[in-house]
Amino acid sequence: MTKKIIVTGSNRGIGHSIAERLASEKYGIIMVDYDNKVINSAKTLNSEYGNAEGIQCDVSSYEACENAFSGIDKREIYGIVNNAGINRDVLFRNMTYEQWDAVIKTDLYSMFNVTRQFTDSMIENKFGRIVNISSASWNGNVGQANYSSAKAGVIGFTKTLARELGKYGITCNAVVPGFIKTPMTDQMPEKIREKFIEKIPIKRIGTAEDVANAVSFLMKPDSDYISGILLEVGGGMIL
Ligand code: NDP
């Protein structure tokens, strides 16, 4: 079987590192991103590893996902990394409907929109690896009612799929990053960043490669007895 892995939100940040790591491990990679630049990112990865293609798609839309994935041979899909996500942090009393809606649609609906395209073919293949990127904020965090709700939803989704699909040889796990250096967290004021690092027992901010390492482990064919877990990548951080 061709081992192709879909990685959403892979134009930059954690998703890009995941795509790069998995490409270096000889999986075929389908990079998916809202930003059209993903086509060129995939060309660059392809020139280095010879096994990447890019698809432009807004994963918050079911229709866009149906269209974007209609042209690929679904039987070739070995795994999915549901990584695309946004945040719109603001105290709940100031949160607008648009801020709530955008985060829930991108971070939670995308899990359904993307994964649902491939579950039938994975069941037929009697094999699949699904890795969903949650966040340490799933447990609740000030200013993140929208994001925390979506990321907690990711965990319920992951554990349910693990239960429903295990009998078909499909594993489903969540990777739970703590505080990771990416364009998303680069926007954070220096003082807040320092406060976060104080709370991390390992005393450093995580890297996108740290997260890619966890995803790589869960993707391996012989990780077939690990399903429904939350793999925290946070240097021991507890929010
Ligand atoms: P970035 O903002 O750096 O990258 C997110 C990527 O997702 C971008 O390429 C972005 O595209 C893409 N994306 C956003 N919305 C959509 C959409 N609707 N459809 C398709 N692609 C989309 O984020 P990170 O790399 O930091 O985060 C990756 C994941 O890790 C997210 O789920 C995040 O919640 C999670 N996470 C991150 C942590 C951190 O500390 N950084 C901590 C815990 C979890 P575009 O370039 O067009 O914006």
Side-chain angles (χ1 to χ4, degrees), residues 114-129:
V114 176
T115 311
R116 192 65 192 88
Q117 310 299 328
F118 301 102
T119 36
D120 292 349
S121 52
M122 283 183 170
I123 288 169
E124 268 175 42
N125 285 344
K126 299 225 172 324
F127 185 89
R129 294 275 175 273

Side-chain angles (χ1 to χ4, degrees), residues 58-96:
D58 174 1
V59 296
S60 69
S61 154
Y62 185 75
E63 205 186 346
C65 290
E66 263 192 321
N67 291 335
F69 299 126
S70 62
I72 62 174
D73 184 350
K74 293 184 176 160
R75 291 166 308 178
E76 292 185 343
I77 299 304
Y78 168 99
I80 305 169
V81 185
N82 284 309
N83 164 79
I86 58 169
N87 60 347
R88 297 285 182 269
D89 296 355
V90 56
L91 289 177
F92 184 66
R93 65 179 195 180
N94 298 322
M95 190 173 286
T96 63

Side-chain angles (χ1 to χ4, degrees), residues 6-57:
I6 305 264
V7 186
T8 70
S10 47
N11 190 44
R12 62 172 198 216
I14 292 172
H16 192 270
S17 284
I18 293 170
E20 205 162 20
R21 170 71 181 251
L22 296 174
S24 77
E25 293 172 350
K26 310 287 178 231
Y27 297 99
I29 305 299
I30 301 181
M31 298 174 76
V32 178
D33 205 281
Y34 190 70
D35 193 329
N36 203 25
K37 287 183 195 143
V38 74
I39 309 290
N40 277 335
S41 295
K43 279 186 188 155
T44 308
L45 208 64
N46 198 41
S47 61
E48 201 164 340
Y49 301 104
N51 51 10
E53 60 192 287
I55 295 182
Q56 192 275 330
C57 174

Side-chain angles (χ1 to χ4, degrees), residues 163-184:
R163 285 173 194 221
E164 289 188 12
L165 302 177
K167 60 179 176 248
Y168 304 111
I170 302 168
T171 64
C172 184
N173 293 292
V175 167
V176 182
F179 185 38
I180 309 294
K181 182 170 170 36
T182 66
M184 187 187 261

Side-chain angles (χ1 to χ4, degrees), residues 95-163:
M95 190 173 286
T96 63
Y97 176 78
E98 285 71 26
Q99 288 165 329
W100 168 264
D101 190 54
V103 172
I104 300 292
K105 286 217 172 93
T106 306
D107 297 22
L108 183 57
Y109 277 41
S110 63
M111 299 281 144
F112 178 86
N113 298 342
V114 176
T115 311
R116 192 65 192 88
Q117 310 299 328
F118 301 102
T119 36
D120 292 349
S121 52
M122 283 183 170
I123 288 169
E124 268 175 42
N125 285 344
K126 299 225 172 324
F127 185 89
R129 294 275 175 273
I130 302 167
V131 178
N132 302 319
I133 308 299
S134 180
S135 162
S137 301
W138 78 270
N139 218 5
N141 197 23
V142 172
Q144 294 194 315
N146 46 4
Y147 188 74
S148 298
S149 303
K151 294 300 189 180
V154 170
I155 288 169
F157 176 75
T158 301
K159 287 180 173 284
T160 302
L161 263 54
R163 285 173 194 221

